[in-house]
Amino acid sequence: MNKLNSKIPDGPLAEKWSKHKASIKLVNPANKKRLEIIVVGTGLAGASAAASLGELGYNVKVFCYQDTPRRAHSVAAQGGINAAKNYKNDGDSVYRLFYDMIKGGDYRAREANVYRAAEVSNNIIDQYTAQGVPFAREYGGLLDNRSFGGVQVSRTFYAKGQTGQQCLLGSYSALSRQINKGTCTMYSRRDLLDIVVVDGKARGIIARNLITGEIERHGAHAVVLATGGYGTIYYMSTLAVNSNASAAWKAHKKGALFANPSFIQIHPTCIPVLNDYQSKLTLMSESLRNDGRIWVPKEKGDKRLPNDIPEEERDYYLERRYPAFGNLVPRDVASRAAKERCDAGYGVGDTGLSVYLDFKDAIKKQGKEAIEAKYGNLFEMYEKIAGTNPYERPMRIYPAGHYTMGGLWVDYNLMTTVPGLYAIGEANFSDHGANRLGASSLMQTAGDGYFVIPYTIGDYLADEIRTPKISTDLPEFEASEKEVLSQIDKLMAINGTQPAKSFHKRLGKIMWDHAGMARNEEGLKEGIKLINELEKEFWTDLKITGTKDELNQEIEKAGRVADFFGIAKLICQDALNRKESCGAHFREESQTEGGEAKRDDENYSYVAAWEYIDENTAQKLHKEELTFDFVEVKVRSYK
């Protein structure tokens, strides 16, 4: 079997999606009422997909582990959402957005999927505006735009510093309408514990009711995973504490290949670690780099307050090293540059692990009111957390684990290698290559949910209209439930001395040190060794308090950490295999004289998709060769 049939349509790039939509199979309205779809996750991808599928007439079951879909991690997105509207008349176009994404991803993404993402971006803005999302507007009433890293045009639509929250409320309102109509059924406080595969097809899930502890079976004709990324592998990340990768990992163990797991973005503008008791880090939007200037003192170990350091004694290192883009270089470039300055002894703060983000010049030029209108809630958030006023003193920032470009491998239809199992949004790998441009996450997730999956899932379900309602009494459901219960019992029977959180924290430190902003062969091998040792300790000394038949967050945490061990080893295995630097994957052995990432297109121009064999066997690598027919592959430069 060809496990990696990407199903990319033939023809010119700009016509692929239109021709594909015109040729895929359809399901008539009467038959849609006979089909059931499970959507797991209620962020921008999941909520928009569920709402759209419900509007089309399918019976949709929607699952989230929060008490309400409104708490999905999409609310944390701050800076904006990209679209190629060219409202600023600055030369933007669908092709330029596509090119910026391909280049920003260091030529490690599939052309057809990226172009489609750019193509549907304009529809997303129209959709959200119609749903009442309060995008910022210019004085004349037109929607406003701002710039983001890695581009030279203004294409990012925004709602102050809370764009993700406002967009999620738009998608949630659409979902709520379908819940009220009865086409969508909402299951909150549920944790997906397994994917049920019947005769090779995804036919349902096993979930745990997080309030009662009850194990539930849910059947459907197709399953859509919209469960986000795995950035909390680092423990300290910008993600919500409950964000996890268990759903994707369960799918992986049931046959869905996992692609490019080592492609993990480190965000350059986060509030630095303040103490040893934190469980997450706070993101400061990349949009701040529009007006904020990043600098460090020119003298090592300079402990003066930032306002006491004269202009001539400041090193605006991004402007110095990358004059064409300045402070708006892509995230991977900005993160490594900050690390390099701090490692060299120029970092600021008590730990020396931060740099300054300074708004003095912007406030002087534009006025405090203008800056407050654009970033007011972000400045308030920073002051509450850090205790200093960024209007009067520069922010301190440092890179932190953020977005995962890797994820479940999907074809052009967003289907995994398990028929009937789809992955959308950050849960898949398809649109960002080795590095994601800012404001393209909301664009991809909403695009997948509103304008891609409603078409492509019909192509599969057209052949399922004669399949009766999926019975949860099938032996495959019985076997899956027994496996889930056995895993819970196994975890609880350890009865050691350490909570799951302590193992997660130590695992995160291993991953940050050995597979973080920079990787090398020796460090990755050492990381795998340390992960194996910690995993062995986990299975002999884990302590879960309480019982399994009640609300018990320790069971949830233990299950997620158990899955994280497998993901951590796969990240290191993938990073070891890819002996090149590209985007956010920086192998120290592969860099230019100037310290930039050095690709090896001859040997590594492919998607690395890994097949799970079993717990005792190394994963098997499958390669999807990347071809570039519409862009010239060249050295990425922002100078």
Side-chain angles (χ1 to χ4, degrees):
M1 182 181 74
N2 181 5
K3 287 184 175 292
L4 293 177
N5 179 7
S6 59
K7 299 181 181 177
I8 298 172
D10 295 328
L13 187 64
E15 298 176 11
K16 287 182 185 292
W17 179 229
S18 297
K19 287 186 174 180
H20 188 62
K21 286 191 293 183
S23 62
I24 57 179
K25 289 173 280 190
L26 302 176
V27 181
N28 75 48
N31 285 332
K32 286 173 183 170
K33 297 174 183 177
R34 298 160 52 188
L35 296 168
E36 292 184 313
I37 301 171
I38 284 173
V39 176
V40 186
T42 58
L44 256 64
S48 58
S52 300
L53 293 168
E55 180 70 27
L56 287 171
Y58 294 106
N59 296 298
V60 185
K61 302 175 185 178
V62 193
F63 294 80
C64 72
Y65 59 70
Q66 304 94 342
D67 59 338
T68 167
R70 297 193 308 275
R71 296 194 193 278
H73 185 61
S74 295
V75 302
Q78 299 168 351
I81 179 170
N82 286 334
K85 290 280 195 181
N86 194 32
Y87 282 174
K88 292 291 187 180
N89 197 28
D90 54 3
D92 200 11
S93 65
V94 169
Y95 182 86
R96 191 175 292 278
L97 173 53
F98 152 75
Y99 178 78
D100 285 342
M101 289 179 69
I102 286 286
K103 176 186 175 184
D106 221 353
Y107 305 95
R108 291 294 176 261
R110 189 191 289 158
E111 275 189 328
N113 286 66
V114 177
Y115 191 89
R116 178 176 63 189
E119 188 178 352
V120 304
S121 67
N122 293 336
N123 297 334
I124 297 166
I125 302 304
D126 297 339
Q127 178 85 2
Y128 278 135
T129 303
Q131 288 175 346
V133 173
F135 289 122
R137 293 178 181 268
E138 296 177 330
Y139 180 77
L142 299 176
L143 296 183
D144 196 12
N145 294 118
R146 58 188 177 200
S147 295
F148 255 66
V151 305
Q152 292 180 307
V153 297
S154 295
R155 64 160 68 99
T156 303
F157 295 78
Y158 64 99
K160 225 170 188 180
Q162 50 185 259
T163 314
Q165 180 180 8
Q166 297 301 328
C167 288
L168 184 62
L169 289 172
S171 295
Y172 173 69
S173 67
L175 174 59
S176 296
R177 178 172 180 269
Q178 296 306 315
I179 293 172
N180 187 57
K181 287 177 64 177
T183 61
C184 292
T185 303
M186 188 70 230
Y187 296 87
S188 58
R189 291 295 193 192
R190 301 304 200 280
D191 198 14
L192 185 152
L193 298 182
D194 202 11
I195 307 289
V196 180
V197 178
V198 180
D199 295 330
K201 297 180 178 181
R203 292 303 195 193
I205 65 172
I206 304 295
R208 180 173 182 268
N209 184 318
L210 297 179
I211 302 298
T212 66
E214 180 185 0
I215 302 300
E216 302 173 348
R217 306 177 187 181
H218 297 275
H221 296 88
V223 177
V224 180
L225 297 183
T227 49
Y230 46 96
T232 45
I233 193 83
Y234 293 118
Y235 183 72
M236 295 285 274
S237 77
T238 66
L239 278 73
V241 172
N242 281 333
S243 296
N244 65 88
S246 285
W249 188 249
K250 304 301 186 189
H252 180 51
K253 293 178 76 170
K254 282 298 179 76
L257 301 193
F258 207 115
N260 297 337
S262 65
F263 287 172
I264 303 174
Q265 185 167 81
I266 310 298
H267 200 291
T269 52
C270 301
I271 297 178
V273 176
L274 300 176
N275 57 58
D276 195 42
Y277 306 104
Q278 286 178 249
S279 55
K280 78 176 297 293
L281 292 170
T282 302
L283 172 71
M284 298 308 296
S285 170
E286 181 179 321
S287 63
L288 295 170
R289 291 199 277 149
N290 272 297
D291 291 300
R293 300 178 71 194
I294 295 173
W295 62 275
V296 293
K298 288 184 178 180
E299 293 293 326
K300 291 184 180 181
D302 192 330
K303 295 301 181 183
R304 288 177 292 174
L305 293 175
N307 292 344
D308 293 336
I309 300 176
E311 191 71 20
E312 63 272 15
E313 296 179 30
R314 301 180 178 191
D315 177 17
Y316 295 93
Y317 58 89
L318 290 179
E319 298 172 29
R320 169 172 56 82
R321 290 177 60 177
Y322 310 102
F325 283 74
N327 295 295
L328 288 176
V329 292
R331 292 175 175 179
D332 60 317
V333 177
S335 293
R336 283 195 297 273
K339 181 179 186 297
E340 184 275 329
R341 287 291 80 191
C342 292
D343 289 350
Y346 296 94
V348 299
D350 293 338
T351 64
L353 293 177
S354 59
V355 299
Y356 289 127
L357 178 60
D358 195 339
F359 291 87
K360 179 189 67 173
D361 292 341
I363 292 171
K364 184 178 180 180
K365 182 177 181 180
Q366 302 175 40
K368 181 180 176 181
E369 287 186 2
I371 298 301
E372 187 175 10
K374 288 190 274 189
Y375 312 115
N377 63 306
L378 297 174
F379 277 45
E380 291 170 11
M381 184 169 65
Y382 180 88
E383 185 171 6
K384 285 181 180 180
I385 295 171
T388 59
N389 184 343
Y391 292 106
E392 299 172 358
R393 183 186 296 182
M395 292 181 180
R396 287 197 301 113
I397 57 170
Y398 193 70
H402 181 55
Y403 188 94
T404 51
M405 284 76 67
L408 294 178
W409 185 93
V410 292
D411 62 18
Y412 191 70
N413 290 327
L414 305 184
M415 188 190 289
T416 70
T417 45
V418 176
L421 178 63
Y422 293 80
I424 62 176
E426 193 180 356
N428 73 34
F429 86 101
S430 69
D431 289 10
H432 305 297
N435 175 61
R436 178 178 67 76
L437 290 182
S440 284
S441 59
L442 301 184
M443 182 191 82
Q444 184 222 345
T445 52
D448 282 358
Y450 277 128
F451 300 110
V452 181
I453 196 70
Y455 288 97
T456 61
I457 202 169
D459 191 51
Y460 172 78
L461 291 174
D463 294 328
E464 296 294 323
I465 56 176
R466 292 182 176 83
T467 303
K469 183 175 180 177
I470 305 301
S471 170
T472 56
D473 293 329
L474 291 169
E476 289 84 356
F477 280 89
E478 179 77 22
S480 249
E481 183 176 330
K482 284 184 178 179
E483 186 178 334
V484 163
L485 287 169
S486 174
Q487 175 80 343
I488 293 174
D489 289 339
K490 183 180 177 183
L491 288 166
M492 298 201 69
I494 298 169
N495 199 28
T497 64
Q498 301 181 64
K501 184 176 181 178
S502 68
F503 289 100
H504 188 187
K505 188 173 185 178
R506 289 159 65 191
L507 175 64
K509 181 70 164 56
I510 293 170
M511 293 302 294
W512 184 254
D513 289 344
H514 299 280
M517 269 192 282
R519 297 98 182 257
N520 58 60
E521 185 165 352
E522 181 182 353
L524 289 165
K525 289 179 177 177
E526 176 67 13
I528 292 173
K529 176 188 171 188
L530 293 172
I531 294 166
N532 283 325
E533 291 173 355
L534 186 62
E535 184 179 25
K536 185 177 179 180
E537 185 181 342
F538 172 85
W539 286 106
T540 56
D541 199 29
L542 171 71
K543 176 69 174 181
I544 297 179
T545 54
T547 69
K548 66 180 180 181
D549 300 319
E550 61 178 347
L551 189 155
N552 189 340
Q553 290 188 315
E554 291 305 306
I555 290 177
E556 301 167 42
K557 294 174 185 176
R560 289 166 188 165
V561 175
D563 293 334
F564 270 142
F565 283 118
I567 298 168
K569 286 184 281 189
L570 183 58
I571 290 170
C572 292
Q573 184 179 353
D574 185 51
L576 268 173
N577 170 75
R578 191 172 286 275
K579 295 179 173 63
E580 66 161 353
S581 290
C582 58
H585 170 63
F586 189 72
R587 283 289 296 263
E588 293 176 346
E589 304 94 331
S590 181
Q591 56 182 301
T592 65
E593 290 184 5
E596 305 293 345
K598 186 178 180 181
R599 291 197 322 268
D600 181 352
D601 295 327
E602 184 177 348
N603 294 303
Y604 295 101
S605 186
Y606 61 77
V607 175
W610 297 90
E611 178 185 1
Y612 182 86
I613 307 299
D614 58 51
E615 291 183 5
N616 301 312
T617 308
Q619 300 212 17
K620 181 180 179 182
L621 174 62
H622 299 266
K623 299 178 181 180
E624 178 194 346
E625 299 296 334
L626 291 170
T627 57
F628 296 93
D629 300 320
F630 303 95
V631 297
E632 178 188 356
V633 178
K634 54 187 177 182
V635 174
R636 195 168 55 134
S637 174
Y638 295 94
K639 295 184 177 180

